[in-house]
Amino acid sequence: MLVENFVSERNLKKESYRADLVVAGGGITGVCAAIAAAREGIKVALIQDRPVLGGNGSSEVRVWMLGATSHMGNNNRWAREGGIIDEILVENTYRNKEGNPVIFDTVLLDKVLAEKNIKLFLNTAIYDVKKSDGHTIESVSAFNTQTQTHFEISGSYFCDASGDGIVGARAGAAFRIGAENADEYDEKFAPDKHLYGERLGHSILFYVKDTAHPVKYIAPHFAMPKEEVEKYINRIQNPNYFTPKQLGCKYWWIEYGGRLDTIADTEEIKYKLWSVLYGIWNYIKNSGKYPEAETMTLEWVGLYPGKRESRRFTGYYALNQKDIIEQHPCADAVAFGGWSIDLHPSDGVFSDKSACNQWHSKGVYPIPYRCYITPDIHNLFIGGRLMSATHVAHGSSRVMATAALGGEAIGTAAALCLREGCRPAEIAEPERMKQLQTRLVYNGAYLPQCRIEDAGNLVASARIEATSEMRMTGIPFDGGWKSLSQSAAQMLPLRKGGVPRLTVALQAEEDTELTVELRVSSKPFNHTPDTVLESVRVAVAKGEAEYDIAFAAEIPADCYAFICFMSNDRLAIRTSACRVTGLLSVFNKILPAVSNFGKQTPPDNIGVEAFEFWCPERRPDGENIAMRFSSPIDCFSVENLRTSLYRPVEQPNAWVAEWNDEMPEVSLSWDSGQSVKTIRLYTDTDVDHPMESVQWGHFDSRMPFCVKEITICDGQDRILAEIKDNYQTLVTVDLPEAVTLRTLKIRLSKPAPNIPAALFAINIQS
C-alpha cells in the first residue's frame, strides 16, 4: 500500500528522450514521415495527442483517405499516391476492404509499431518548444494525460505535422491564416472574403444503422430545434446532399467555424456542430418526413471535429493556383497532388451557397520540396496542411493522401540531413535533391515529369530477356455488351505516327450512325482527352456485326490515345473480360460527389479550364472495349523494366507477358559477376483505384493485376527467394548476404486466366 502525506506541492514524473527526428502529430503525414525516417535508419520520436493514429483518417473522425484519384471522378488516371501511403492503403484494402475505421486504426498502429527505430508517444500533447538559438529548436515539452508524465523530447531535426502547427508557432516561424488577395499570387479563384469568407470550417460526422425494429429518439437539450433545422440548414431539403440512410463522410457538409478562430475557438465550434448534428438527427427521426428512418439509430458520432484549415507556414515557396492548373515541372518535386481546388463557404452549414466549390485540373501537379521547409527555423520541416501554400492551393493540397507524400519526403530528407550533416534547406541544392528524389523513387514514389536515374541499380547494365512480351493484336471479344447511352472510350498506348485500323463489334436496335473520335491530351503526361485529332462516322445496320474504323490522322507523340465512341442510346459495344496492365476504358460520366457533371464549365475569369470528364467504372464493372488491331500495339517490352515511373503515364511503362504465358520468366544477365544483396520488384496494384481507407468499401481485397507468387533464382536455377502470397506493390528481397552472380531469373505466376503477368520495374542493389 502506498500512502502519500500532504505536501505543499507535488511534482509530477518527468522523463527525457532524444531522437534524431522528432515528429509532432500522428496523423497520416506524421506517420509517413516517421516510418520513412525510421526505415532510413535514424531514431524517431512520434508524438500524438490522441489515443489513436491517423488524425482525420482515424476512427475518431472517420474521413476517408483520398488524394489525386478523387473517387475516380476526375481525369487523373493511374494517380494513386505511391510509397508508404500506397503500402498502407493496399494493406488496408487487403485486410479491410469493407472500410471499417477501427480496423484501419490497427493497420496504422501495426505499421508504426513494426519499426524498431520509432518511439511512439500516444496521448501526449506538445505544449512548449525550447530553442538553442533564435532559429534552431532544441526540444519540445509534452504531457501525457494518461501517465501524468512530462516529457522533454530533444532532437536534431523536427517535423511539425500537428495540423495546427504547435511546434512551428511556438518556435516563432512565420505563418498565415486565411485567404490571400487575388493579386498577391495572381489567383483568380481567390474568394471574396466578405461574402464567401477566407477559412474552411470543421466537420463532425456520424454513422447510423438499421436495427430492423422501431427505435425512438429523444434529442438532448442542446440539439438545434427541428424548426430551426428546417429554416437554417437548407441542405436538408437537397437530395444531392441528404438522404436519411447516408452516413459518415457523406455528411462532410455539416461544417462550421470558418468565420471563427479555427484553433482557439475549436471547442465552441465543436459544441455548435454537435447541436447541428443532433438537431439534424432529431429532424430525421421526429419530423414525420422520413418514415424510412423509423428503425434506424445513431451508431456513432464524432467526439471532436475534423479540421480543414488553420495555420499555413511560410516556406521557401508557396504552392499556388497556377501550379495546380498549369502543372509546370519543378526541379525539386518530391510529392504530387491532384484533388480539386476545393473551397467551402466559411459559414458552412448555415451558408446559402453551395457547400463546396470544386474545380479540377487536367492532371496531377508536382509539389516542390521548398513548400516543406521554412527559412525561419533551420531544423524544422512543415508537413500536412501546414505546408507552404496559398489558401486557394491549400484547397487541393490539404487532403490526406497528398499530405502523406509530403510526410514521406520529410522523413527521407531528415535522414539525408543527418547523414550529410546539413540543414533541411541545404537539401534543396541540386546534388542533394537528386539524392532525395532517387531515394523516394527507389521506395516507390512517383514524381511527375521527373525522370530519375538510379546509378546504383544493376538493372541499368543488364541484358534483359523474357519468355514472352505482349504484342497486342487485339482485346479479346469475350465480354458482354455495353450500352453507348453515354460516350465510352478505350485508352490505348500508341507511338508517334499512324494509328492501326480498329475492328469493333456493335449491336444496334435499328439502322443508325456512330461517331468515333480519335483524341489525345494536349499534355502527353495527362489523361484529359481535350484534343480531337479526327472524327469518323460509321453507318451501323440493325443487329450485331463487326465494323472497321480507320483514322488518317497521326499521333503527335508517344501517348495514350482515346478511341471515343460517342453516345448513341440505340447502340451497344462489345466488351472484353480480359484486363491488362496499362489498358483502361473510360466514360463521359457524372460523379456529383466530386462536382463532376460530365463537363467542367467554370465561370469566366477564375483561372480554371473547361474540359470533359472521362472516368472509369469501378470493378467488377469497367471492362475494356473489345477490338482487333491491323498491326500490333508494341508498348509492353521487357525494356520497360528499367523505368523509374512504376505506373502508366505517356505509356504503360510496364513489361507485360503474352496472354498464354502461364509462368513467365524474366532473365537478367551481365558479362561479369555482380554482387547482389537487395532485389526490388514493383508490381501492379492498380494505382487507378482510389482505395478509400474507410466506409466506401471495395470489390477486391487483392488487386487483380498483382502477381501473387514470385521465385528468384540464380543462373543455375538455385532458389534465392520465394514469395508465396504477395499482394503489395513493392516486393523487397534482402538476401541474408550478398551473392555474386552473372544471371538472375525472376519467375512470376499469372494473376488470373484473363490477366497476363506484368511488372513495372526491377531494382537490384549490391
Side-chain angles (χ1 to χ4, degrees):
M1 179 177 182
L2 175 64
V3 176
E4 290 271 358
N5 294 323
F6 171 78
V7 292
S8 60
E9 183 179 1
R10 183 173 286 114
N11 293 324
L12 296 177
K13 184 180 178 182
K14 293 183 179 180
E15 289 187 7
S16 298
Y17 187 79
R18 179 165 183 84
D20 299 315
L21 173 66
V22 178
V23 179
I28 197 62
T29 306
V31 165
C32 289
I35 292 174
R39 290 179 178 177
E40 293 295 314
I42 72 173
K43 189 176 177 182
V44 181
L46 175 58
I47 308 169
Q48 165 71 327
D49 61 357
R50 306 299 303 173
V52 294
L53 297 167
N56 281 347
S58 73
S59 63
E60 291 189 314
V61 184
R62 303 193 181 190
V63 177
W64 46 50
M65 211 161 284
L66 269 184
T69 53
S70 191
H71 293 305
M72 293 168 67
N74 59 16
N75 292 342
N76 297 343
R77 301 282 61 80
W78 298 292
R80 192 176 73 241
E81 293 70 19
I84 292 170
I85 186 57
D86 172 73
E87 176 187 332
I88 288 169
L89 292 176
V90 171
E91 188 71 41
N92 182 61
T93 304
Y94 182 70
R95 297 190 196 183
N96 180 32
K97 72 173 188 173
E98 298 77 18
N100 184 329
V102 176
I103 302 300
F104 185 56
D105 284 349
T106 69
V107 170
L108 291 180
L109 186 62
D110 220 11
K111 288 292 181 186
V112 168
L113 294 181
E115 300 297 332
K116 62 179 177 19
N117 287 329
I118 296 178
K119 172 69 172 176
L120 177 61
F121 297 84
L122 292 177
N123 295 304
T124 304
I126 295 171
Y127 61 87
D128 206 0
V129 169
K130 182 187 293 184
K131 295 196 286 185
S132 58
D133 60 49
H135 297 280
T136 306
I137 299 173
E138 180 181 293
S139 65
V140 296
S141 299
F143 182 68
N144 185 305
T145 57
Q146 301 297 301
T147 63
Q148 297 186 0
T149 302
H150 286 277
F151 290 97
E152 189 80 10
I153 302 173
S154 57
S156 301
Y157 301 95
F158 294 79
C159 167
D160 193 340
S162 64
D164 285 335
I166 181 64
V167 175
R170 286 292 294 127
F175 63 82
R176 294 182 174 197
I177 295 177
E180 289 78 9
N181 292 324
D183 58 357
E184 184 171 359
Y185 289 91
D186 192 19
E187 294 181 304
K188 296 179 179 179
F189 189 42
D192 181 313
K193 297 182 184 182
H194 176 69
L195 295 177
Y196 202 77
E198 53 179 315
R199 282 187 296 277
L200 306 177
H202 305 351
S203 288
I204 287 182
L205 310 179
F206 67 97
Y207 278 27
V208 300
K209 70 176 180 180
D210 196 324
T211 66
H213 58 79
V215 177
K216 72 175 182 178
Y217 178 69
I218 301 173
H221 292 296
F222 61 77
M224 179 180 284
K226 293 193 298 295
E227 59 274 13
E228 291 187 18
V229 169
E230 191 163 61
K231 180 178 179 181
Y232 296 114
I233 312 301
N234 58 70
R235 292 178 194 108
I236 203 85
Q237 315 298 337
N238 186 337
N240 290 327
Y241 287 113
F242 176 77
T243 64
K245 293 190 177 182
Q246 287 180 338
L247 71 161
C249 294
K250 300 291 180 67
Y251 284 118
W252 58 267
W253 54 268
I254 300 179
E255 180 177 357
Y256 177 72
R259 298 279 186 185
L260 303 178
D261 185 325
T262 52
I263 299 174
D265 295 331
T266 293
E267 286 292 284
E268 177 185 340
I269 294 169
K270 175 187 72 177
Y271 282 111
K272 187 66 174 180
L273 284 168
W274 274 343
S275 172
V276 171
L277 187 154
Y278 286 105
I280 287 174
W281 184 245
N282 186 37
Y283 186 79
I284 293 171
K285 290 291 290 184
N286 297 320
S287 67
K289 296 185 177 181
Y290 303 99
E292 64 270 40
E294 183 183 12
T295 58
M296 296 167 65
T297 187
L298 275 180
E299 183 179 31
W300 168 85
V301 171
L303 296 180
Y304 76 105
K307 292 190 178 187
R308 292 181 176 86
E309 184 175 17
S310 55
R311 295 183 178 103
R312 304 187 312 278
F313 283 92
T314 303
Y316 283 85
Y317 183 81
L319 190 76
N320 60 71
Q321 179 181 343
K322 286 189 171 182
D323 296 319
I324 293 169
I325 300 301
E326 297 174 5
Q327 303 145 31
H328 298 299
C330 58
D332 63 334
V334 293
F336 71 90
W339 185 258
S340 62
I341 300 177
D342 183 5
L343 300 186
H344 302 189
S346 292
D347 294 313
V349 74
F350 297 103
S351 175
D352 59 1
K353 300 174 179 62
S354 174
C356 69
N357 212 356
Q358 295 189 57
W359 297 109
H360 297 261
S361 61
K362 289 183 176 180
V364 301
Y365 57 89
I367 301 178
Y369 173 75
R370 289 162 290 161
C371 295
Y372 300 110
I373 52 177
T374 170
D376 299 324
I377 306 297
H378 296 160
N379 62 341
L380 177 66
F381 297 92
I382 45 176
R385 56 185 173 86
L386 300 175
M387 65 168 270
S388 182
T390 66
H391 170 75
V392 171
H394 170 270
S396 172
S397 65
R398 63 185 170 84
V399 295
M400 283 184 278
T402 304
L405 293 179
E408 181 168 0
I410 286 168
T412 309
L416 182 56
C417 282
L418 198 70
R419 287 196 298 271
E420 297 277 312
C422 67
R423 295 174 176 176
E426 294 173 298
I427 298 296
E429 297 168 0
E431 190 55 41
R432 288 189 175 122
M433 180 51 55
K434 182 180 177 181
Q435 292 182 56
L436 174 58
Q437 291 172 325
T438 300
R439 195 64 185 172
L440 289 170
V441 168
Y442 178 69
N443 289 325
Y446 168 57
L447 305 180
Q449 303 177 62
C450 290
R451 297 283 176 160
I452 305 298
E453 302 297 330
D454 185 350
N457 186 4
L458 298 177
V459 174
S461 60
R463 292 183 298 277
I464 312 179
E465 298 176 322
T467 51
S468 68
E469 291 179 348
M470 174 70 72
R471 298 184 77 250
M472 187 172 289
T473 56
I475 306 171
F477 289 73
D478 59 354
W481 295 93
K482 177 73 173 179
S483 170
L484 289 177
S485 56
Q486 61 180 359
S487 298
Q490 181 64 43
M491 295 178 66
L492 296 177
L494 299 181
R495 302 290 191 190
K496 180 180 179 180
V499 180
R501 186 178 66 256
L502 312 171
T503 302
V504 299
L506 297 171
Q507 184 184 73
E509 296 176 1
E510 58 185 60
D511 292 353
T512 186
E513 187 177 73
L514 172 66
T515 299
V516 185
E517 294 183 350
L518 174 64
R519 298 189 184 189
V520 295
S521 175
S522 54
K523 295 177 179 177
F525 52 84
N526 284 348
H527 302 114
T528 294
D530 55 356
T531 302
V532 179
L533 299 180
E534 188 177 351
S535 179
V536 299
R537 293 184 176 182
V538 179
V540 182
K542 181 179 179 179
E544 295 178 12
E546 292 187 353
Y547 296 85
D548 290 341
I549 300 167
F551 294 107
E554 295 198 342
I555 303 297
D558 291 359
C559 67
Y560 271 89
F562 293 72
I563 313 300
C564 300
F565 304 91
M566 307 310 288
S567 64
N568 182 333
D569 58 13
R570 291 162 290 178
L571 287 174
I573 193 165
R574 188 76 184 272
T575 67
S576 176
C578 293
R579 300 183 187 273
V580 183
T581 292
L583 279 194
L584 200 61
S585 62
V586 292
F587 305 87
N588 184 210
K589 59 185 291 188
I590 291 171
L591 189 63
V594 292
S595 297
N596 167 356
F597 298 97
K599 182 177 182 180
Q600 177 165 286
T601 309
D604 292 338
N605 204 36
I606 67 165
V608 174
E609 296 174 284
F611 58 89
E612 292 176 347
F613 292 99
W614 290 76
C615 309
E617 302 279 8
R618 287 180 181 251
R619 284 188 298 275
D621 299 323
E623 294 183 331
N624 289 300
I625 296 173
M627 55 183 65
R628 287 193 300 275
F629 311 125
S630 61
S631 58
I633 293 177
D634 209 1
C635 300
F636 303 97
S637 164
V638 74
E639 285 297 311
N640 290 339
L641 292 172
R642 303 184 199 272
T643 187
S644 61
L645 291 173
Y646 317 146
R647 64 184 61 211
V649 186
E650 292 97 333
Q651 293 285 282
N653 298 314
W655 161 73
V656 181
E658 276 288 2
W659 297 105
N660 60 358
D661 196 341
E662 296 296 326
M663 190 60 70
E665 178 180 285
V666 175
S667 176
L668 300 100
S669 59
W670 298 266
D671 292 333
S672 59
Q674 304 292 315
S675 177
V676 173
K677 180 67 170 64
T678 301
I679 303 158
R680 285 192 161 183
L681 310 177
Y682 301 83
T683 77
D684 183 1
T685 54
D686 188 11
V687 290
D688 198 66
H689 181 44
M691 289 190 177
E692 294 92 342
S693 53
V694 300
Q695 186 184 318
W696 194 275
H698 307 288
F699 177 74
D700 314 278
S701 58
R702 183 197 305 270
M703 296 301 102
F705 307 97
C706 185
V707 291
K708 183 177 180 181
E709 297 180 359
I710 304 167
T711 302
I712 300 175
C713 303
D714 65 11
Q716 289 72 48
D717 282 334
R718 289 188 293 258
I719 295 176
L720 301 177
E722 287 185 286
I723 295 94
K724 289 293 188 182
D725 190 27
N726 176 57
Y727 53 86
Q728 270 290 351
T729 309
L730 176 55
V731 179
T732 301
V733 175
D734 285 313
L735 301 176
E737 56 185 33
V739 296
T740 300
L741 44 77
R742 294 177 62 178
T743 300
L744 185 72
K745 299 177 181 179
I746 301 169
R747 296 179 186 136
L748 308 172
S749 62
K750 187 178 180 180
N754 63 332
I755 302 174
L759 279 180
F760 283 116
I762 303 171
N763 192 300
I764 301 173
Q765 301 283 327
S766 58

